[in-house]
Amino acid sequence: MSSKKAPTYMRNIKCQELTVLDVVPFGQTLSEVTHCFALRLENPGWERWRPGQFVMVRHPSFGLELIWGRAFSISRMASSGLSLFIQTYGRGTKRLSESLPGEKVTVWGPLGNGFAVQDKRTLMLAGGIGLAPFLAYAEAHPSPNKLELIFGHRLPLETYPFENAKNLVPEMTARSFHEQTPEDLPKFLEMVDEAVQRYADGGLILACGPTPFLRAIKKMAAEHGAMAQLSLENKMGCGVGACLGCVVTDDKGENVQVCSKGPVFWAHKIEL
Amino acid sequence: MASKTSTTPDTRVSLPGLAIKNPIMTASGTFGYGLEFASFGKLEDLGGIVVKGLSLKPRAGNPMERIAESPCGMLNAIGLQNIGVERFLEEKLPALPHEETAIVANLYACDAAEFGELAQALAADARLAALEVNVSCPNVAAGGQAFGQDPAQAAAVTRAVKDAAGSMPVIVKLSPNVADITMVARAVADAGADMLTCINTLLGMAVDLKTRRPRLANVVGGLSGPAIKPVALRCVWQVSQAVDIPVIGVGGISTAADVLEFILAGAHAVQIGTANFMRPDTVFHIVEELPALMSTYGVTHLDELRGTLQV
């Protein structure tokens, strides 16, 4: 009997050991647990992938102690390698930040579904490390002059690859907003709301960032009648749809896996 | 199956009503419906696949957060989210390699009568090799491990499933969350179970110091992973001495060496659970590595090793 074929969404996924090429810290801050870094790995040689998809990564030092791989958006894919922008947050990301060039890490991907690519005016809304997938998105887009990026952040701007994004895709419009005090948040949301309104008529809105940020955008999109896709940040056990630890409730009231049915969802199709 | 030579260890295992090519199965709840892992290895290389626990009707499971990581382990309170027996038989089972690998349906219900109804629906499908009865889930309010903690109730559920299952072998999955696991094991064996699975998860919890709240919305959840391996080994050893029916060991197995340790302690076969999350090709690697490791220890057939632990 012939081998069973994997479902369409799974056929391209591999689990492989990839060599660490380099670890580049971005904007070191006073607190050692709040900096970001780019982890660049050797090219995984995937047949195809889409911006907005993600990978699961394990460092050998996880051993038996850290059970899960860690999920990261694909930030850039070039012949020179696969780049992930990571915020050091817990034990897993800290160990990855200490990776040395030449070490091997275990990676499975590309996972999830990715953002829609449409030849229309597209607004990219990024909160903090939610900026990561938009580098790949902007770089791969057929009409980058139709793209606008609004980036909200709390850590200093140099902590994130914002300048890289602007340099990589100079045709897109990009602006940032530094939220320095809690009073700044309403100003930022006002800026975002104004932008969402501008894209309501025939445009596309994409967002990635913390859940409260996505929740606000979902509400704005509904109010203005805008088409929006949200990339959810969620704790994941397996990354392949098996553990059911990362679910979100969809518009039919069913719990669906963020890892395999998302992480990108149409805003009006999920409850947040 | 390829012919065995004197240099190739024989990994085949003969269980009541169920012959499998190797002792490696996947544990329910950790391998989805199987297809989620199809691109990481050949499903037909596995001895068995125990699918995500099924109920008569689809279940949404518990609210989020549902999982938390702990040292060498994880806690889950998924709450048996599943697509229900009907959709499983229509959508998932046809794509599974049931001719080469034992596909085992894990089932959950709220009372003995419902267990019987569910068992009847599943046993009617010849593509399934066995039923695994979940009387030990710590994450559901009705039934769940309450069945598995009471020998009489566990026996009643076992009888209901056996009556409905016809010739299909029935495995009962036991909870470690009891004072004496052998009491439940004996009651279930006396009630007609063909095999036992030891063990389900250990009840645990995790707290978040920053938010001063439990990490799981359900407050408590089931602990799995390498952290529970010593408990699982102990239970397999105790239960395999207390009953005459085969025991399938599960709990923290992540290497081929772990598999042989469980066989040594008395298990006939094993299930790989949380290790499938650690990396999605783990179970395929274990299948591949087992014969060479058997050779290393001079084991040509698992029967030679089983239960030979010298105490």
Side-chain angles (χ1 to χ4, degrees):
Chain A
M1 193 163 179
S2 64
S3 292
K4 291 293 177 292
K5 282 186 176 169
T8 313
Y9 69 93
M10 291 286 298
R11 277 180 204 157
N12 194 33
I13 303 175
K14 290 179 187 167
C15 182
Q16 54 198 132
E17 315 301 321
L18 297 179
T19 304
V20 174
L21 301 180
D22 49 38
V23 177
V24 181
F26 272 64
Q28 294 281 4
T29 57
L30 291 176
S31 163
E32 75 175 49
V33 291
T34 52
H35 71 269
C36 299
F37 61 98
L39 177 66
R40 204 163 59 90
L41 306 172
E42 69 174 305
N43 187 329
W46 298 327
E47 290 159 27
R48 58 187 189 279
W49 65 282
R50 291 174 62 180
Q53 288 191 289
F54 69 100
V55 292
M56 297 289 284
V57 184
R58 276 182 74 86
H59 188 269
S61 69
F62 285 16
L64 295 180
E65 186 199 350
L66 300 188
I67 297 293
W68 306 325
R70 299 305 195 253
F72 304 110
S73 291
I74 297 163
S75 189
R76 285 193 73 200
M77 254 297 298
S79 54
S80 58
L82 162 66
S83 289
L84 309 171
F85 282 103
I86 299 171
Q87 183 164 3
T88 310
Y89 186 77
R91 294 177 301 165
T93 47
K94 184 156 192 312
R95 290 187 191 187
L96 286 168
S97 76
E98 293 160 355
S99 301
L100 298 172
E103 284 183 334
K104 298 270 188 191
V105 292
T106 306
V107 175
W108 56 104
L111 303 165
N113 57 2
F115 286 118
V117 177
Q118 298 177 353
D119 190 21
K120 56 170 70 167
R121 294 183 307 122
T122 301
L123 174 66
M124 300 178 290
L125 299 169
I129 201 66
L131 177 64
F134 291 124
L135 273 74
Y137 187 85
E139 217 178 358
H141 201 276
S143 311
N145 59 322
K146 292 182 179 172
L147 302 179
E148 178 180 355
L149 169 68
I150 297 179
F151 174 48
H153 57 100
R154 286 185 181 164
L155 299 174
L157 188 61
E158 60 270 23
T159 313
Y160 303 98
F162 181 68
E163 289 304 320
N164 300 43
K166 288 206 304 184
N167 293 335
L168 280 170
V169 191
E171 300 92 334
M172 79 172 166
T173 308
R175 55 186 164 143
S176 61
F177 183 96
H178 192 177
E179 189 192 325
Q180 289 169 296
T181 69
E183 289 75 41
D184 289 338
L185 181 60
K187 285 186 227 165
F188 176 57
L189 291 179
E190 202 176 310
M191 179 203 275
V192 171
D193 188 68
E194 177 273 326
V196 169
Q197 201 164 359
R198 279 192 287 114
Y199 282 80
D201 187 13
L204 173 66
I205 295 160
L206 312 174
C208 184
T211 302
F213 174 67
L214 299 181
R215 198 173 284 137
I217 292 163
K218 173 178 160 62
K219 190 162 171 269
M220 291 171 198
E223 281 168 6
H224 299 305
M227 290 303 291
Q229 285 196 327
L230 311 176
S231 178
L232 271 52
E233 282 196 329
N234 216 333
K235 192 185 290 172
M236 290 174 187
C238 65
V240 299
C243 76
L244 302 174
C246 67
V247 298
V248 65
T249 306
D250 71 9
D251 57 342
K252 294 173 197 146
E254 286 181 19
N255 285 332
V256 296
Q257 299 96 319
V258 170
C259 63
S260 58
K261 308 288 186 205
V264 177
F265 294 92
W266 288 103
H268 61 284
K269 295 275 193 184
I270 50 163
E271 293 173 15
L272 266 187
Chain B
M1 187 173 282
S3 65
K4 301 286 169 185
T5 66
S6 59
T7 55
T8 306
D10 188 347
T11 59
R12 288 174 297 181
V13 177
S14 184
L15 298 166
L18 180 66
I20 50 179
K21 66 181 78 170
N22 64 57
I24 317 292
M25 308 170 89
T26 58
S28 180
T30 64
F31 208 65
Y33 300 103
L35 305 171
E36 292 86 343
F37 290 81
S39 81
F40 300 107
K42 289 182 180 169
L43 295 177
E44 56 266 44
D45 287 350
L46 305 176
I49 297 172
V50 186
V51 300
K52 174 74 189 159
L54 297 163
S55 47
L56 268 179
K57 300 288 173 203
R59 287 175 58 96
N62 290 332
M64 292 284 280
E65 296 284 321
R66 295 170 159 196
I67 54 174
E69 199 179 40
S70 62
C72 298
M74 66 175 274
L75 287 154
N76 90 80
I78 305 299
L80 291 170
Q81 178 182 332
N82 76 97
I83 58 174
V85 64
E86 195 177 318
R87 278 185 60 196
F88 168 74
L89 294 175
E90 278 174 19
E91 297 172 22
K92 306 292 183 183
L93 187 54
L96 289 168
H98 51 85
E99 287 177 24
E100 299 93 340
T101 294
I103 309 299
V104 179
N106 178 288
L107 57 156
Y108 162 77
C110 292
D111 55 51
E114 194 182 335
F115 264 111
E117 196 181 340
L118 184 53
Q120 198 163 22
L122 289 162
D125 198 311
R127 293 170 296 185
L128 290 171
L131 303 179
E132 183 182 70
V133 187
N134 183 358
V135 291
S136 47
C137 178
N139 296 322
V140 288
Q145 70 171 1
F147 288 130
Q149 287 173 328
D150 177 350
Q153 283 199 58
V157 168
T158 304
R159 271 192 292 271
V161 173
K162 270 301 286 181
D163 288 347
S167 59
M168 193 171 280
V170 171
I171 311 165
V172 178
K173 187 169 183 176
L174 301 182
S175 169
N177 302 313
V178 290
D180 182 356
I181 193 169
T182 62
M183 285 178 65
V184 185
R186 281 196 195 93
V188 167
D190 291 345
D194 298 293
M195 290 166 265
L196 299 173
T197 299
C198 295
I199 54 174
N200 208 317
T201 54
L202 288 150
L203 197 58
M205 72 183 285
V207 299
D208 186 332
L209 187 55
K210 278 187 218 156
T211 61
R212 300 190 182 191
R213 296 179 61 82
R215 288 190 186 272
L216 299 175
N218 202 45
V219 184
V220 296
L223 178 65
S224 63
I228 73 163
K229 191 184 129 191
V231 179
L233 267 173
R234 182 265 296 175
C235 289
V236 165
W237 180 65
Q238 287 181 327
V239 169
S240 64
Q241 293 192 320
V243 297
D244 292 328
I245 57 176
V247 173
I248 300 169
V250 50
I253 299 172
S254 61
T255 64
D258 291 340
V259 174
L260 294 186
E261 287 179 25
F262 273 77
I263 306 279
L264 196 54
H268 278 67
V270 296
Q271 295 176 0
I272 312 297
T274 300
N276 297 314
F277 301 156
M278 296 171 80
R279 52 177 293 161
D281 53 2
T282 300
V283 70
F284 303 105
H285 284 303
I286 294 176
V287 167
E288 201 179 319
E289 288 161 10
L290 188 67
L293 192 68
M294 287 169 69
S295 293
T296 301
Y297 287 97
V299 177
T300 57
H301 194 285
L302 293 167
D303 287 346
E304 300 161 20
L305 191 67
R306 182 170 307 110
T308 60
L309 190 70
Q310 297 173 36
V311 184

